[in-house]
Amino acid sequence: MAKEIALTTKVQQGTPYQLDPNQTLKAAQALVSHIQKEQKRLETASEKKDLLATGDSDDETQEKVPVWLILGTKKFIQDQKRLKPSKIALPHPFGSPDARVCLITADPQRAFKDLIAEPTFPASISSRISRVIGITKLKAKYKSYESRRQLFAEYDVFLADERIVTFLASTLGKVFYGTPAKRPVPVTLTAGLKTQKGEDGKKVKTGVKKGDTAVGTPQAVAKEIETALNAALVHISPSVTTAIRVATADMAPKDISENIEAVVEGLTAKFVSKGWRNVRSLHIKGPNTMALPIWLAEELWVEDEDVLEEKWKPKAFVREEGPSKKKRKPLYQRGSRKSRRRPRSRNRTSPSQMT
C-alpha cells in the first residue's frame, strides 16, 4: 500500500509573513536584464529604420516599459471601501516632471480653477496642471468613443476628486478602464478643511457655508496633488488577482525593489483584508515577460479553522425510507384528449373502392 503524502499541513505557530529583500532584488535585476536584452534583440532584428525616431529613442522607449506587481489573494476582497481606488506613496517616483496633467473635479469646476490660479498656490504644481474639468462637463462633452480616445491621448496623467472617482468608470468607459495605464488617480481637493459632526450626526466641513463648494487650502491641496503624482495607483479588483504599476524598466533594480517593498507594505496594511494571511502570491513582470515570483504562501487557507483536524471521509449513502411514490402513468392512460381519439388508419379505403 502506497504511503499517503499530505499536501498541506496545519501551521501551529504561524508563518513568518514578510517579504525577503534579497529575493525581491534578485527578481528585479533579472527582470530589468531580460527587458534590456529583449529590446536590443528587437532593435537588431528590425531591418527597417524608423524615420521618426530621434537619437535618444532608446532611453524614451525604455522609460515607457512599466514594471508590474501582481498580487494574488486567497479569497475575494468584497469590502467596498477597500475596492475604492486609492494610492500608495513611493520612495522612488517614476512619473515624468513634464507630464501633462488633467484634473477632474466635482461641480462646480470654477471653484477649483480659482483655487489653482491663486497666487499662494505653488507654481511648481499649478504649471503641471494643463486642464481642469468638472464631472458634468466631462459627461456632456465626451460621450462618444472617439472623443474619449482623444482625451486619453491628449494628457499623460489624470487626477480625480476622490468624491467622484467611483463614478468615472461608467463615464469614461473601457477607453480608460480597459487598461490600468491612465486610470484617474484619486486626490483630496478638500485638504486643509477641518470636519466636525453636525446636528444630524453627519460630518461637515467647518468654515463652509451652506450651498458653497467645499474647497481646501492652496498649500494642502498642492501637497495632495504632488503626492498623487508621485504615488502608485491601487485599484483592487473584486477577484483574486490585481496588477499595480510600481516602477519602470529604466530604474535601478535597487530602486525597483524598494518601491515593491513600499507597495506590499501598504497593501497588506490597508487594502487586503486579513493582511498577510490573505496573500497567496506576489510576482513582478513586464508587459511581455513571464511573471517572476518574489513571495509564495505556504498555506492555501486564511484561518486555521478552515483546516480539518481529522482526515475527511465521505459520508455513507443511506436511502431514506418512506412511502413509495406512485409511478407516473403514460399519456395514453391518463384520459387525455389524444388517448380518447380514435387512431387514424393509414390504409383507409376510399368510397369508390368499397363499392
Side-chain angles (χ1 to χ4, degrees), residues 234-278:
V234 179
H235 195 176
I236 302 294
S237 58
S239 64
V240 294
T241 305
T242 301
I244 304 166
R245 185 170 59 174
V246 294
T248 53
D250 65 304
M251 297 174 60
K254 185 178 180 181
D255 295 344
I256 296 176
S257 63
E258 292 178 358
N259 280 2
I260 293 171
E261 293 173 6
V263 172
V264 170
E265 183 179 356
L267 288 173
T268 54
K270 182 179 178 181
F271 297 95
V272 180
S273 55
K274 303 292 183 180
W276 275 104
R277 295 291 301 180
N278 195 18

Side-chain angles (χ1 to χ4, degrees), residues 78-93:
Q78 301 177 353
D79 189 0
Q80 294 298 325
K81 293 182 179 180
R82 300 177 189 269
L83 296 176
K84 184 178 179 181
S86 186
K87 55 186 178 295
I88 296 177
L90 297 174
H92 305 283

Side-chain angles (χ1 to χ4, degrees), residues 174-196:
K174 65 179 182 180
V175 176
F176 282 78
Y177 286 84
T179 171
K182 291 186 182 181
R183 290 184 182 180
V185 182
V187 61
T188 305
L189 297 181
T190 57
L193 295 180
K194 297 181 180 180
T195 59
Q196 65 179 6

Side-chain angles (χ1 to χ4, degrees), residues 63-303:
E63 289 180 358
K64 296 180 181 179
V65 179
V67 176
W68 300 92
L69 173 68
I70 310 299
L71 167 68
T73 57
K74 300 174 185 177
K75 291 185 178 181
F76 285 16
I77 300 175
Q78 301 177 353
D79 189 0
Q80 294 298 325
K81 293 182 179 180
R82 300 177 189 269
L83 296 176
K84 184 178 179 181
S86 186
K87 55 186 178 295
I88 296 177
L90 297 174
H92 305 283
F94 54 86
S96 174
D98 300 329
R100 296 166 297 177
V101 180
C102 177
L103 178 62
I104 305 173
T105 67
D107 295 324
Q109 63 180 13
R110 174 50 57 185
F112 301 98
K113 286 184 176 180
D114 295 340
L115 173 67
I116 296 175
E118 285 188 8
T120 56
F121 197 91
S124 59
I125 304 299
S126 60
S127 60
R128 301 180 63 179
I129 302 175
S130 304
R131 185 177 184 182
V132 179
I133 183 171
I135 181 66
T136 302
K137 190 174 182 181
L138 182 71
K139 292 180 180 179
K141 191 172 182 180
Y142 297 97
K143 291 183 178 180
S144 64
Y145 179 79
E146 292 298 330
S147 60
R148 293 175 184 176
R149 286 188 60 185
Q150 183 179 1
L151 178 66
F152 183 85
E154 190 174 355
Y155 301 97
D156 302 319
V157 181
F158 291 87
L159 304 179
D161 193 337
E162 64 175 3
R163 295 171 291 182
I164 53 98
V165 70
T166 55
F167 305 106
L168 295 179
S170 58
T171 303
L172 299 175
K174 65 179 182 180
V175 176
F176 282 78
Y177 286 84
T179 171
K182 291 186 182 181
R183 290 184 182 180
V185 182
V187 61
T188 305
L189 297 181
T190 57
L193 295 180
K194 297 181 180 180
T195 59
Q196 65 179 6
K197 288 187 178 180
E199 298 178 355
D200 54 354
K202 295 182 179 180
K203 293 182 179 181
V204 294
K205 300 291 183 181
T206 57
V208 180
K209 297 180 180 180
K210 189 176 182 180
D212 294 346
T213 305
V215 181
T217 60
Q219 297 294 334
V221 172
K223 186 176 180 181
E224 284 289 326
I225 293 176
E226 185 179 9
T227 302
L229 292 175
N230 298 328
L233 174 63
V234 179
H235 195 176
I236 302 294
S237 58
S239 64
V240 294
T241 305
T242 301
I244 304 166
R245 185 170 59 174
V246 294
T248 53
D250 65 304
M251 297 174 60
K254 185 178 180 181
D255 295 344
I256 296 176
S257 63
E258 292 178 358
N259 280 2
I260 293 171
E261 293 173 6
V263 172
V264 170
E265 183 179 356
L267 288 173
T268 54
K270 182 179 178 181
F271 297 95
V272 180
S273 55
K274 303 292 183 180
W276 275 104
R277 295 291 301 180
N278 195 18
V279 178
R280 184 173 183 176
S281 62
L282 292 170
H283 296 75
I284 60 171
K285 69 182 297 295
N288 302 314
T289 65
M290 298 290 290
L292 301 178
I294 58 175
W295 190 88
L296 298 175
E298 296 181 2
E299 310 92 28
L300 302 180
W301 56 88
V302 179
E303 301 292 345

